[in-house]
Amino acid sequence: MLTCAIIDDDEINRLTLEHYVELTPDLKLVASLADGIAGLTFFREGGKVDVLFLDIEMPHLSGLELLRVLTDPPEVIITTARQDFAVDAFELRVTDYLVKPFEFARFTQAVQRVQARRSSPAAPAAAEAPSNADLFVKVNSRMVRINFDEVLYVEALSDYVNIVTSKHKYIVYTTLKALETRLSAFPNFIRVHRSYLLNTQQIESIEDNTANLRGGHFVPIGKSYQEAFYKGLQRI
C-alpha cells in the first residue's frame, strides 16, 4: 500500500485525483491540499507519504519551488495543464509528468511507475535506470518528447547540442556538460570525446577508435576517453 498526498489549487482536478485514488486499491490518501504553502506546512510538520501528486502553477509557492525546498521529497507525479515545465520538472527527478486533463489509465500508468521504482533494488542515484527513457527537451518554442533509447549520440555545438536519433536531429539550447549530468541516470550514455556523448546500445562495431553506429553514423573515441570506454565494454 502506497500512501499519497495531493497538492493542487484546481478544485476540479483535486477532486478527480481523489476519485482516482479511491479507485486504486494500492493507494491510500493521507492529505489533499489546495496550495503550495499548505503542502510545505504539511511536510514541515512531519507529514510523510510515499507519493505526491503535485500541481505546478499555484499562488505564493509553485510546485517546483516546493520541490526545491523539500530536503527529502517523496516520489513525485506532476499534474499540470502546462507542458513547458517538463524539463525543469525532470531535472528535479520527478517520477512522471501528467498533463491535464488525463484519464484514469494514464494515472494508473504513473502509479505503476512509482511502484516499479520502489521495488527496484537500491542503488546509487547516478546508477539508477529510470523507469522510462522519455525526457522533454525544448526545441525552438516547442517541448519535444524524446525517447533516449532511440538516441544514437549527442554532439556539442558551442552553447547548443545536437541530439541525433535514427530519424531526427534536435538542436537544443544547452551544453553537453549539462546534458551529460541529466543523462547520468541512463547508464548506456557515456562521454567518449570532448564533443560527443554516445549511446553504447547503438554501437554496431568499433574500428580505429571510431564507433560505427546503426544507420551509418560514426563517432570518434577521444584519446583521453579510450581507456575508460574500452574497460567498460562487455567483450570476450
Side-chain angles (χ1 to χ4, degrees):
M1 176 74 69
L2 297 176
T3 57
C4 68
I6 299 167
I7 304 177
D8 195 325
D9 72 335
D10 181 338
E11 183 177 4
I12 293 176
N13 195 65
R14 196 168 62 252
L15 291 173
T16 299
L17 283 168
E18 290 174 6
H19 179 56
Y20 286 173
V21 170
E22 289 177 0
L23 294 176
T24 308
D26 295 333
L27 285 180
K28 177 183 178 181
L29 184 63
V30 173
S32 183
L33 307 168
D35 59 68
I37 297 295
L40 181 61
T41 301
F42 170 78
F43 285 107
R44 285 186 169 172
E45 291 181 349
K48 292 185 180 296
V49 290
D50 299 313
V51 58
L52 172 63
F53 297 95
L54 179 64
D55 193 11
I56 290 181
E57 291 187 295
M58 296 183 289
H60 309 302
L61 187 69
S62 74
L64 296 184
E65 289 170 338
L66 173 62
L67 276 185
R68 291 188 179 103
V69 300
L70 294 179
T71 56
D72 187 24
E75 300 279 352
V76 175
I77 297 173
I78 294 294
T79 59
T80 178
R82 298 278 296 274
Q83 295 187 13
D84 51 336
F85 291 111
V87 171
D88 292 333
F90 280 110
E91 285 179 345
L92 290 169
R93 304 185 70 82
V94 304
T95 304
D96 209 337
Y97 192 99
L98 306 186
V99 179
K100 304 174 187 177
F102 47 86
E103 301 295 331
F104 179 64
R106 182 67 181 90
F107 171 88
T108 299
Q109 183 183 49
V111 173
Q112 290 173 342
R113 193 161 288 162
V114 170
Q115 292 170 327
R117 285 167 62 106
R118 292 175 61 85
S119 63
S120 298
E128 289 178 355
S131 56
N132 75 322
D134 291 343
L135 289 179
F136 285 88
V137 297
K138 190 170 185 179
V139 180
N140 297 322
S141 60
R142 295 185 303 131
M143 297 301 301
V144 178
R145 182 192 294 270
I146 296 179
N147 185 310
F148 274 88
D149 286 339
E150 299 174 357
V151 172
L152 300 169
Y153 65 90
V154 183
E155 179 185 10
L157 303 172
S158 186
D159 292 332
Y160 293 80
V161 296
N162 182 22
I163 301 175
V164 180
T165 72
S166 58
K167 297 180 180 179
H168 301 285
K169 293 183 179 181
Y170 304 94
I171 305 298
V172 180
Y173 181 64
T174 187
T175 64
L176 191 65
K177 180 64 177 176
L179 190 57
E180 182 181 16
T181 300
R182 285 182 58 194
L183 290 174
S184 61
F186 296 82
N188 295 331
F189 279 87
I190 60 174
R191 188 80 165 261
V192 296
H193 188 279
R194 64 192 302 267
S195 299
Y196 290 92
L197 285 171
L198 175 66
N199 184 354
T200 56
Q201 298 246 345
Q202 299 288 351
I203 297 175
E204 289 190 333
S205 63
I206 303 167
E207 185 176 358
D208 296 331
N209 294 319
T210 297
N212 305 321
L213 309 181
R214 295 184 178 123
H217 296 268
F218 302 92
V219 171
I221 303 167
K223 186 175 182 180
S224 60
Y225 297 87
Q226 290 172 11
E227 182 178 355
F229 172 73
Y230 289 116
K231 186 176 181 180
L233 290 180
Q234 293 184 3
R235 51 180 178 165
I236 59 175

